[in-house]
Amino acid sequence: PLTGIKNRLAFNADKQEDDKINYVTVIDLSTINMEEGYDAGNEIIARVSTIIENFTENAYRITGSKFAILNFENIEQLKIALKGLATVE
């Protein structure tokens, strides 16, 4: 697999009604894939995944460019770590 992060099926199984969910979206992934190739896009996804994994084990890749994180409190530090690579909501 491209990342060591759990997938959308695991996210749907693990999330609870009262969970806080944050989303991380890779910036311009489709543009990177078209202009620089899928290998470049895959490198970005892998880098974002590694950064997220350094912060939490409660992360999931739910679409090609979007990750979900359950019950995570350190959002500001994650935003700094992902600056220029991904947005955090």
Side-chain angles (χ1 to χ4, degrees):
L2 182 58
T3 74
I5 288 183
K6 297 172 271 191
N7 64 21
R8 183 186 54 200
L9 295 175
F11 173 73
N12 289 335
D14 291 351
K15 72 177 177 176
Q16 302 294 313
E17 188 174 316
D18 59 341
D19 282 339
K20 177 183 172 191
I21 304 171
N22 292 100
Y23 295 98
V24 175
T25 305
V26 177
I27 298 171
D28 295 327
L29 182 62
S30 59
T31 302
I32 292 167
N33 285 336
M34 289 188 305
E35 293 180 0
E36 299 178 38
Y38 287 98
D39 288 342
N42 287 345
E43 286 180 30
I44 300 286
I45 291 167
R47 191 177 329 157
V48 168
S49 173
T50 298
I51 292 168
I52 293 170
E53 286 178 300
N54 287 334
F55 282 87
T56 182
E57 295 178 0
N58 293 327
Y60 306 80
R61 186 170 176 211
I62 57 172
T63 70
S65 64
K66 186 172 271 191
F67 298 83
I69 303 172
L70 296 178
N71 303 315
F72 184 66
E73 299 298 326
N74 202 0
I75 293 300
E76 293 308 314
Q77 289 297 316
L78 183 60
K79 285 180 180 180
I80 291 167
L82 291 171
K83 187 173 182 178
L85 294 173
T87 60
V88 180
E89 308 167 28

